[in-house]
Amino acid sequence: MKLLKLFLLALLVSSSTISCSKDEDDIGPQAVKPGDKRDFTVENFIYKGMNLYYLYKADIPQLANDYFDTQSQLNDFIDNYPTPEDFFYDGVVASQDRFSWIVDDYIELENSFAGITKTSGMSYVLSYYSEDSNNIFGVVRFVEPGTSAQVAGVKRGDIFTKVNGEQLTDTNYGALLGGDSYTLNIASIEENTIIDSGETVNLTTAVYQSNPVYIAKTLTIDGKKIGYLMYNSFTNEFDEQLNTAFGQFKADNVEELILDLRYNSGGDVRTATDLAAMITYQFPGQVFMKEEWNAELQEYWEENDPNGLVNKFNTTLRSGTQINSLMLERVYVLTSSRSASASELIINGLDPYIDVVQVGDKTTKQIYGIHYLIRFTQF
């Protein structure tokens, strides 16, 4: 089960930075022209799903089971919104909900859960030149192995300002960076000024499956063995590789662990639960996380399958493979504003049992003042 809602947002935009995980072109919704006959199939699908599963159902009066007496009344409500996207965001999403989104391609959605995207292999963040400028520049966070970006020599920390010779702005970056091929203009920062270097890099995109176990290595510092794991997504297709990394840590007699979740925006709950057991194996069968649903579904689960609401520390992976655990009593977790969902679950789920030392920026939900974790489901 994913700790992701069915609705996906391509980009998180703040007042100062624009965070990008892959190359995408945002295509806006197509509004219905005046006089066109409306087909509410998509909107009704959205409504039924939200009516059944939405956590904040009680906060949206129109989602109440008895709010509409007839389908015609529901359709009249839907007709107030020109597109399915408008209906979703403006009609049935609660004001306090910052994390629900919607997509129109379920195959792309499922592929993204498996780490499969069309990308040049360059993960980057976009930032404004200044508070009063619309111009933006990109900074490379990391490069996926075996991709066009790696072949072209792009590396962490590289700065780019233009694509195909055109300055990046907050209105054109999606189109410029969303092409199948493009040229980056590389720059540098000198005395707090961005300077174009004249160097260019040609990149092409291709379908690629990212291994979230990006770096796993053992360091020896002052005679102590320290494991470092850069883990970029809770993708269950790579659970065995994650477990193998911990097997190597265990063979290396690692005494401390640095878990780098700075670029990890979440993923699969079971994978997060298994990762917790890989870090510490001292609490098998004890509660790692308890789910919270909307009132109607919560009542249903508590009456019919209360144990189904509880996720406990495991001893094996879903495949049956024995979990390799370091039996640690402390873990250092590196975080950023992009660390979200299952990354936050690791921190909060382990904190009652071992010493969790968070290093870095506040996580996504810490920024928004949300200090609890809830498991959502797909419909």
Side-chain angles (χ1 to χ4, degrees), residues 137-178:
F137 65 94
V139 180
V140 178
R141 297 182 300 194
F142 61 90
V143 175
E144 296 282 6
T147 61
S148 171
Q150 185 192 48
V151 172
V154 177
K155 61 185 182 301
R156 174 178 170 81
D158 281 350
I159 297 171
F160 58 92
T161 56
K162 299 177 182 179
V163 175
N164 299 329
E166 184 175 348
Q167 173 63 50
L168 286 167
T169 70
D170 55 11
T171 59
N172 69 12
Y173 70 90
L176 290 177
L177 290 167

Side-chain angles (χ1 to χ4, degrees), residues 108-125:
E108 182 180 357
L109 173 65
E110 289 297 324
N111 282 341
S112 71
F113 288 154
I116 301 172
T117 58
K118 190 174 184 180
T119 179
S120 68
M122 177 183 66
S123 177
Y124 54 87
V125 63

Side-chain angles (χ1 to χ4, degrees), residues 9 12 16 27 53-54 109 111-112 155 163 184 211 222 225 237 241 256 290 293 316 349 363:
L9 182 66
L12 283 176
S16 59
I27 301 174
Y53 287 110
Y54 193 41
L109 173 65
N111 282 341
S112 71
K155 61 185 182 301
V163 175
L184 295 181
N211 182 347
D222 295 333
K225 297 290 186 178
E237 285 82 358
Q241 290 87 335
E256 302 276 7
K290 186 175 181 180
W293 301 63
T316 62
T363 66

Side-chain angles (χ1 to χ4, degrees), residues 282-296:
Q282 304 169 72
F283 312 100
Q286 295 194 45
V287 175
F288 176 66
M289 184 267 283
K290 186 175 181 180
E291 302 169 17
E292 180 180 334
W293 301 63
N294 65 41
E296 293 174 22

Side-chain angles (χ1 to χ4, degrees), residues 66-339:
D66 57 357
Y67 190 87
F68 298 107
D69 293 328
T70 65
Q71 181 65 45
S72 178
Q73 290 179 357
L74 172 57
N75 287 345
D76 287 342
F77 171 62
I78 292 172
D79 204 23
N80 292 310
Y81 305 94
T83 69
E85 289 82 0
D86 291 327
F87 172 64
F88 175 74
Y89 291 111
D90 299 331
V92 291
V93 170
S95 60
Q96 72 269 31
D97 180 4
R98 299 174 181 267
F99 301 104
S100 290
W101 47 65
I102 188 171
V103 297
D104 59 8
D105 187 336
Y106 80 92
I107 295 176
E108 182 180 357
L109 173 65
E110 289 297 324
N111 282 341
S112 71
F113 288 154
I116 301 172
T117 58
K118 190 174 184 180
T119 179
S120 68
M122 177 183 66
S123 177
Y124 54 87
V125 63
L126 300 177
S127 295
Y128 288 102
Y129 276 56
S130 62
E131 292 183 358
D132 57 354
S133 173
N134 293 327
N135 291 340
I136 60 179
F137 65 94
V139 180
V140 178
R141 297 182 300 194
F142 61 90
V143 175
E144 296 282 6
T147 61
S148 171
Q150 185 192 48
V151 172
V154 177
K155 61 185 182 301
R156 174 178 170 81
D158 281 350
I159 297 171
F160 58 92
T161 56
K162 299 177 182 179
V163 175
N164 299 329
E166 184 175 348
Q167 173 63 50
L168 286 167
T169 70
D170 55 11
T171 59
N172 69 12
Y173 70 90
L176 290 177
L177 290 167
D180 290 335
S181 62
Y182 51 88
T183 300
L184 295 181
N185 291 74
I186 304 300
S188 61
I189 296 180
E190 300 177 13
E191 297 181 354
N192 293 324
T193 301
I194 299 175
I195 307 295
D196 286 339
S197 67
E199 178 187 355
T200 60
V201 175
N202 298 318
L203 300 179
T204 58
T205 63
V207 176
Y208 179 82
Q209 185 170 27
S210 175
N211 182 347
V213 186
Y214 188 75
I215 299 175
K217 61 182 179 181
T218 300
L219 309 172
T220 302
I221 301 177
D222 295 333
K224 179 177 289 189
K225 297 290 186 178
I226 300 175
Y228 171 78
L229 174 65
M230 182 176 174
Y231 187 56
N232 291 335
S233 178
F234 291 81
T235 309
N236 62 42
E237 285 82 358
F238 291 89
D239 285 355
E240 294 286 349
Q241 290 87 335
L242 179 61
N243 197 43
T244 297
F246 273 83
Q248 186 60 55
F249 286 152
K250 189 174 181 180
D252 293 340
N253 296 314
V254 161
E255 302 170 66
E256 302 276 7
L257 177 67
I258 299 171
L259 179 60
D260 190 344
L261 301 178
R262 286 176 294 171
Y263 310 124
N264 193 320
S265 58
D268 191 274
V269 167
R270 173 61 191 265
T271 296
T273 306
D274 289 347
L275 174 57
M278 294 175 197
I279 295 169
T280 182
Y281 201 59
Q282 304 169 72
F283 312 100
Q286 295 194 45
V287 175
F288 176 66
M289 184 267 283
K290 186 175 181 180
E291 302 169 17
E292 180 180 334
W293 301 63
N294 65 41
E296 293 174 22
L297 285 177
Q298 190 75 18
E299 181 180 1
Y300 171 84
W301 287 117
E302 289 179 352
E303 291 180 355
N304 294 277
D305 185 17
N307 290 330
L309 293 171
V310 179
N311 291 265
K312 300 179 179 180
F313 285 90
N314 301 309
T315 58
T316 62
L317 303 179
R318 273 168 286 212
S319 63
T321 301
Q322 188 72 24
I323 286 177
N324 295 315
S325 179
L326 299 181
M327 302 288 289
L328 296 177
E329 296 184 357
R330 176 174 58 198
V331 62
Y332 297 88
V333 183
L334 306 186
T335 61
S336 72
S337 60
R338 185 173 173 79
S339 306

